[in-house]
Structures are given as structure tokens and as C-alpha cells.
Amino acid sequence: MKRVTKQSNHNSDSQTNPDLRRSTDFPQNDFGDLLRHIQQTRQKIFSSINTDLIELYRYLGETISQKVESQVWGKGVVDELAKYIAKNDPDIKGFSDKNLWRMKKFFETYQGDEKLSALLRQLPWTQNTIIFSRCKTAAEREFYINSCIQERFSSRELERQITASQFERSTMGHQKLSAVLRELHPDISIGVLLCRDKDDEVVEYALSRNLSPTLIAKYQLQLPDKKLIQAKLHELCTNAKNLDDEE
């Protein structure tokens, strides 16, 4: 009597039943399209929420500004408002008295500036607070707002860009800096590093590494006082701010 061997139907089943396919057989292109759709939708949701949030902060800032300016509210009322919000809805965060004052400054900084007001809604609140609290002129604020939108700066990178005086570097350029140096000391060709520490302009020298120690020592003795260059730089920044205010 012949023995009948039962053959496995695993291979045929896997061909007819899509649930038994290997993971490598899944439609990866379809998955990628779906993932991109999820990501794009989430970004749209975030942008919509952020736009509404910035508009809320602007509204609160406008209300506080008008109430304080008309002396309907004293300064202590803002603190009471923060306490009222915290007491009546403890789940709402971000409305401390300090942040409410920031909203007031936010509104007052961009009041009447329709061009920048439209761009503000594209930035998170943290980046907005950094820009309006650290930048002195409308031109500087516009520069960093556009930089954040185009380069998608994190708050840390934005802080670094402002501290490194990227705006001054891009607008003043090497020619103006060189002119300042030539006016102070026409015989020396050097590099200047600019950065900002709070509200002060900071100047540092950069000498070529190719120079011999003897020449470096000679240059260091002949370099103009940093305070003189700092004063000239401050003068340029002040003039730029005055022109901006006049406009």
C-alpha cells in the first residue's frame, strides 16, 4: 500500500491570502504617500493653531495696552487678571502676569505694521518674544522674522543668530566696518568679530594665524582701543534706529 504524502498548502495560501504576505511585500510607496499626508496635515493643524494663538495674544495685548494707557487699569490689575485666570481655569497655562505684559509689548511693538503683523502668525510665540524683546528696530525685527520663516530657526538658533549680530553683519557689511577701522587706524588691516551682549555691542579682534608671533605682538600693541570701535559701531546702530523711527 502506497503512503500518501500530504503536501503543505502554505505557499499557495500565501499567494491567495494577502494577510500572509511578508512585510517586505507591503506597498512601501503607498505607505510613504500616506505618511507624508499625515505629516502635512499635522503641520497644517499646527499652523492653524499657532495662528489662532498668536492672534489671541495680540488681542489680549491690545486690550491690556488700551486699558493701561487710558488709566482704566492700573499696573496691579494685570497681576489680578493673571490670578483670576489661574484660579478660575487652572488648566490654562501661559497667562502669568509676566507673559501678559509680554503680550502688551508684543501688540505695541507691531501696532500699525501690517506687513510684519501678517508674518508674525507664522512664528511660534517663543521666537516672537525673542525677536521683539531683543531687536531694536523694525528693520532688524523684519530680518529675523524672515530668517526664522525661511530657515526654520529653533529658539536656540535664533538666540545664537541675534547674539552673533547677524543682522548688523548682513546690513552693514565689510565696507562700513572697514571704513570705521580706517578712520580709527588707517595703517592696520584686521578682522573684527561683532556680537551682542544684552543691549551692548561687543567688539573682538581676529588676527590671521599666518602672521608670525612677532607681527602679532606688534599688531596687538598698535591696535586701536576696542572701546573706540565699539563707540563707532554704537553710533552707526543708533543712527540706523533714528532713521527707522523717523520713517
Side-chain angles (χ1 to χ4, degrees), residues 17 57 140 160 170 187 202:
N17 189 347
Y57 292 163
E140 185 179 8
R160 192 188 72 79
S170 65
D187 299 327
V202 180

Side-chain angles (χ1 to χ4, degrees), residues 41-87:
T41 302
R42 289 184 64 187
Q43 182 59 39
K44 289 179 181 178
I45 293 171
F46 170 78
S47 298
S48 176
I49 293 173
N50 185 72
T51 297
D52 292 341
L53 193 63
I54 296 301
E55 186 58 33
L56 170 63
Y57 292 163
R58 190 207 64 78
Y59 171 77
L60 291 173
E62 180 180 12
T63 302
I64 294 171
S65 177
Q66 292 175 349
K67 295 287 188 182
V68 172
E69 185 178 359
S70 62
Q71 297 183 346
V72 175
W73 286 7
K75 292 185 177 180
V77 177
V78 175
D79 182 56
E80 292 301 317
L81 172 60
K83 292 177 180 177
Y84 178 87
I85 295 172
K87 179 181 178 181

Side-chain angles (χ1 to χ4, degrees), residues 142-158:
E142 182 176 1
F143 174 84
Y144 287 113
I145 289 170
N146 285 323
S147 295
C148 280
I149 294 172
Q150 295 167 7
E151 304 297 333
R152 297 185 179 276
F153 286 153
S154 64
S155 57
R156 179 176 296 181
E157 177 60 21
L158 174 60

